[in-house]
Amino acid sequence: MDGSLAPTVIRTACPHDCPSACVLEVERVSPERIGRVRGTAAYDYTAGTCCAKVARYAERVHHPDRLTRPLLRIGAKGEGRFVPISWDEALDRIAEAFRAAAARDGAEAVWPYHSGGNMGVLGRWGLDRLRHVMGYSRQKSTICITPAEMGWRAGHGAARGADPRRVAEADLILMWGGNPVSTQVNLMTHIQRARKRRGAKLVVVDAYRSPTIEAADIGIVLRPGTDAALALALMGMALERGAADRAFLAAHTDWDTAVEAHLRRHTPEWAEGVTGVPAATIRALGELYAGTRRMFLRLGVGFTRHRNGAATMHAVSCLAALTGAWAAEGGGAFFYALEGWGLDTRLAWASDRIDPKVRVLDQSRIGAVLAGEALAGGPPVTAMLIQNANSAEVAPDSHAVRRGLAREDLFLAVHEQFLTPTAAFADVVLPATTFLEHSDLYLGLGHTALTVGPRVIEPQGEARSNHAVVRGLAARLGAEHPGFGMGEEAMLDATLRASGLGDWEAAKAAGFIPVANSIPAGEAFAGFPQPDGRFRFHADWAALGPYSAGMPELPSHWERLEEAGEATPFRLITPPARSFLNTSFTETPGSRTREGAPRLRLHPADAERLGIADGDRVRIGNARGVLTLAAMRFDGVLPGVLAVEGISPSADFPEGIGINALVGAEPVAPAGGVAFHDIAVWLRPA
């Protein structure tokens, strides 16, 4: 290629709902087009790697079905018939609908709604600036990790952990309830370093044989929702073998005789009856756990997406404390780095304008909110703007969500990149930029750096960023706040300066900003982020949320699941697909080709008993809904367990609705969230 025509490589950052928040290098082949995308080697967590989904991002940003003009609905809600309109008309209509709703029922009748389709400081949470200034209903963001977060906090006190790069220094990596081969490829880079350099063993625990289990030295497949039972048996074995670090427990935890007696009662034989894992397998793993001090416990979120998920996270997270792994080089535990970022959010989020008297609505219960069943007092919701969310497919109890979105008295605006099933219900649809077409900062939830995402190319068509939409509505609504008058990079620069983190130009040049928000481990370990510095084996659930009644104080397998019964004898889990991210990438050719149509994985013994062959059409269902899809015999689940990977498009199912139609929306104890993998269903040939 002529050197003058060579692409320019721009450093930016991935915005997607993955804890890696990768630092990327993107080829810009023209002001409007990109070429290849790769992870940079300049940041040692990204380590030159990014997932295949993002590596093929040109398929998404230049997809012929991208929304490029504002649209006005002319058909029935959900039908998807629209005509183009101007940006001025679109924003005028939204502002007028918001004014009318507030005048009729009060400001709380307006509910700005966002989720994790974009994880930027401005892109995701910037909508809160409009909410807080105008007094609109607030949002409790629970849909993804709240059960896991509460379980972690119950023991550790704060949602941060050991530096995840330390996994490369471990002798035993215990990956629990996560599938990084599919969902966080960067983590596998550091795990592989430990395996190659130290001969470390990778143990993976999950409810089905995931790609990460297939890559592990030891893979444990158990019944969904029973992880705590396995953890209890391992701790009981460690006590039997004298592997508990008594000095560490005395100095850094609330360990007492009640905890010890409780753990000693849980044997491998007992755990076999609960988990379905043979006692001999549990004993072999227990010997490895008890005999390895340099153990890094890497916790995912999948195993917490059950009705007992928070209690389960607490029990499993105790493993590193019992053996004192925190005090060993290469040891410790990590879940997500949700706090400790040190960002001053007064400008970007108007966090100083929050009125505690304004009601808070649960993001996960959007169906119940729109039905008037979960309003937390105040008026019905009659006007919404949705950003970064495809709730008609992603939220639980999808039938209820769609009934709510279809309400004729609800004005709905959706800001999106594609005409999703959620956008099809909108009165006004706004075309959204991808991360390559705007600038933002991202929290490295899976590591310890802010990653920096400057714009790479010009917006496609008339697409605008979330920040631009918030500013446009603020001007029409008369909202007053300094941030409404600032462009993206000015806002980001001011936020960094106010936070003592330098400036935008320096951040852009580096691509990332290290933040010291980990819990020091090894020789530097000095305690946990609790008031007294001690890990809690005794959990105070009432301090963490309103749904804590009945939760066990000590680490326990809590028998609170949507148990299979005579009418619904199977347990269904819905783990992520490798080529989709929730419903992102379900429209790109590479991801669609790789994933194919949705398939129901079932154990061969169940298939034989029901007369189901590979590829047969089957139906699964419960009181919430019924779905039809193809069967796949799969010995990577236990009998009685079914698995469907990913959130395939609703159009892939004859019923025209997706897998989350089967998921309940009841809040998970103690603070809410969704039990996405805790589903009882029946199964029969179609």
Side-chain angles (χ1 to χ4, degrees):
M1 176 183 287
D2 181 356
S4 64
L5 300 178
T8 301
V9 176
I10 308 294
R11 186 174 292 171
T12 190
C14 181
H16 284 285
D17 191 7
C18 160
S20 289
C22 290
V23 183
L24 303 174
E25 294 175 354
V26 180
E27 292 180 349
R28 182 174 63 193
V29 299
S30 79
E32 294 82 25
R33 295 196 69 84
I34 66 160
R36 298 171 59 191
V37 180
R38 57 183 175 267
T40 186
Y43 177 42
D44 61 355
Y45 187 80
T46 302
T49 304
C50 74
C51 69
K53 300 182 287 290
V54 172
R56 298 191 300 263
Y57 213 81
E59 290 185 354
R60 182 174 177 85
V61 70
H62 301 305
H63 196 290
D65 293 339
R66 274 282 303 275
L67 294 172
T68 58
R69 297 184 64 185
L71 302 173
L72 177 68
R73 178 172 62 87
I74 58 171
K77 285 198 171 191
E79 185 180 352
R81 288 202 298 131
F82 297 88
V83 294
I85 56 175
S86 70
W87 265 101
D88 281 339
E89 181 180 353
L91 292 175
D92 287 346
R93 284 178 177 270
I94 298 170
E96 178 53 37
F98 281 18
R99 275 194 297 267
R104 183 174 57 249
D105 295 316
E108 289 180 332
V110 181
W111 191 25
Y113 185 102
H114 60 71
S115 194
N118 181 304
M119 296 297 287
V121 169
L122 299 182
R124 174 160 188 183
W125 293 282
L127 184 58
D128 290 335
R129 189 168 0 108
L130 185 66
R131 177 201 317 278
H132 298 153
V133 170
M134 297 299 296
Y136 297 149
S137 283
R138 295 158 60 198
Q139 175 177 301
K140 183 179 182 181
S141 295
T142 59
I143 200 165
C144 183
I145 59 173
T146 298
E149 178 188 350
M150 294 304 113
W152 178 270
R153 287 184 184 277
H156 295 82
R160 48 195 176 91
D163 188 327
R165 291 170 292 192
R166 291 175 56 86
V167 75
E169 305 164 17
D171 292 331
L172 171 63
I173 300 138
L174 187 48
M175 182 73 229
W176 205 299
N179 180 17
V181 165
S182 294
T183 63
Q184 199 187 350
V185 65
N186 313 79
L187 176 59
M188 290 303 299
T189 298
H190 300 281
I191 289 173
Q192 290 300 95
R193 287 177 179 169
R195 298 172 86 181
K196 291 177 180 178
R197 296 175 184 176
R198 302 189 56 81
K201 296 294 184 184
L202 172 61
V203 177
V204 181
V205 178
D206 212 330
Y208 87 125
R209 193 176 66 233
S210 69
T212 307
I213 279 189
E214 292 176 349
D217 298 293
I218 300 171
I220 306 291
V221 176
L222 42 57
R223 293 187 184 117
T226 66
D227 302 74
L230 176 58
L232 293 168
L234 296 180
M235 289 188 282
M237 285 193 62
L239 288 167
E240 282 185 9
R241 283 152 180 72
D245 187 329
R246 300 286 179 173
F248 182 89
L249 291 171
H252 299 296
T253 79
D254 66 350
W255 182 267
D256 59 19
T257 56
V259 177
E260 179 157 352
H262 172 73
L263 292 179
R264 284 186 179 276
R265 287 196 290 270
H266 295 87
T267 66
E269 288 72 25
W270 166 82
E272 176 179 0
V274 178
T275 65
V277 180
T281 301
I282 297 173
R283 289 191 177 279
L285 178 56
E287 296 285 354
L288 182 60
Y289 162 65
T292 311
R293 181 160 170 77
R294 295 173 70 122
M295 186 268 290
F296 197 98
L297 177 62
R298 183 60 171 87
L299 298 157
V301 299
F303 77 101
T304 71
R305 287 175 171 165
H306 299 271
R307 285 163 177 78
N308 64 1
T312 299
M313 168 62 89
H314 176 241
V316 176
S317 73
C318 292
L319 287 162
L322 179 68
T323 60
W326 280 96
E329 295 303 318
F334 181 82
F335 152 56
Y336 267 19
L338 300 179
E339 58 188 327
W341 293 101
L343 276 180
D344 186 325
T345 58
R346 290 174 296 177
L347 184 62
W349 303 349
S351 55
D352 58 335
R353 299 284 295 274
I354 296 173
D355 182 350
K357 296 188 296 296
V358 174
R359 69 179 177 188
V360 181
L361 302 178
D362 190 339
Q363 167 197 44
S364 299
R365 306 197 70 201
I366 180 173
V369 167
L370 294 179
E373 299 165 0
L375 289 174
V381 170
T382 55
M384 295 183 71
L385 167 62
I386 293 180
Q387 292 184 327
N388 316 322
N390 182 12
S391 303
E393 291 192 322
V394 173
D397 198 0
S398 302
H399 284 292
V401 175
R402 294 187 181 201
R403 286 193 299 270
L405 296 175
R407 277 175 35 204
E408 289 298 331
D409 66 332
L410 172 69
F411 175 87
L412 176 65
V414 174
H415 189 200
E416 253 296 356
Q417 296 166 3
F418 294 87
L419 192 64
T420 64
T422 306
F425 284 95
D427 298 284
V428 173
V429 178
L430 305 175
T433 49
T434 66
F435 75 98
L436 299 167
E437 301 155 54
H438 60 247
S439 295
D440 214 332
L441 286 168
Y442 305 96
L443 310 181
L445 303 179
H447 48 89
T448 58
L450 287 163
T451 56
V452 184
R455 187 178 71 181
V456 175
I457 56 173
E458 296 298 316
Q460 304 292 289
E462 298 179 20
R464 294 187 187 178
S465 68
N466 290 7
H467 179 65
V469 169
V470 169
R471 291 183 64 195
L473 288 175
R476 286 163 171 79
L477 292 165
E480 296 182 358
H481 187 271
F484 294 139
M486 302 174 71
E488 289 160 5
E489 295 197 356
M491 176 83 82
L492 296 167
D493 181 75
T495 296
L496 289 173
R497 290 176 185 272
S499 307
L501 294 171
D503 60 45
W504 175 249
E505 288 303 316
K508 188 165 61 172
F512 60 96
I513 304 170
V515 178
N517 63 345
S518 62
I519 302 174
E523 291 185 1
F525 181 79
F528 295 96
Q530 294 275 18
D532 59 359
R534 293 175 178 269
F535 180 89
R536 302 284 194 267
F537 285 94
H538 294 264
D540 182 3
W541 297 113
L544 293 171
Y547 312 117
S548 61
M551 295 189 73
E553 177 190 343
L554 296 177
S556 299
H557 168 62
W558 189 26
E559 292 282 357
R560 181 168 177 147
L561 297 169
E562 186 167 275
E563 289 290 358
E566 184 176 349
T568 51
F570 289 92
R571 298 294 309 284
L572 172 66
I573 60 172
T574 58
R578 187 168 187 170
S579 300
F580 299 156
L581 205 171
N582 297 319
T583 60
S584 295
F585 301 99
T586 57
E587 69 288 312
T588 54
S591 293
R592 291 289 291 158
T593 299
R594 182 165 186 164
E595 293 301 327
R599 292 169 293 176
L600 180 76
R601 290 163 169 79
L602 74 160
H603 193 275
D606 290 326
E608 194 68 30
R609 177 171 54 83
L610 295 172
I612 296 171
D614 262 352
D616 281 358
R617 303 292 282 176
V618 297
R619 303 183 83 204
I620 55 174
N622 55 26
R624 303 179 192 102
V626 177
L627 296 175
T628 305
L629 67 170
M632 172 184 172
R633 292 189 176 207
F634 178 63
D635 62 3
V637 292
L638 297 182
V641 178
L642 310 173
V644 177
E645 286 189 337
I647 306 177
S648 295
S650 296
D652 287 359
F653 297 88
E655 293 80 9
I657 199 164
I659 196 69
N660 286 334
L662 305 178
V663 177
E666 305 85 359
V668 173
V674 184
F676 281 114
H677 301 328
D678 187 1
I679 315 164
V681 296
W682 49 258
L683 163 67
R684 60 184 68 124

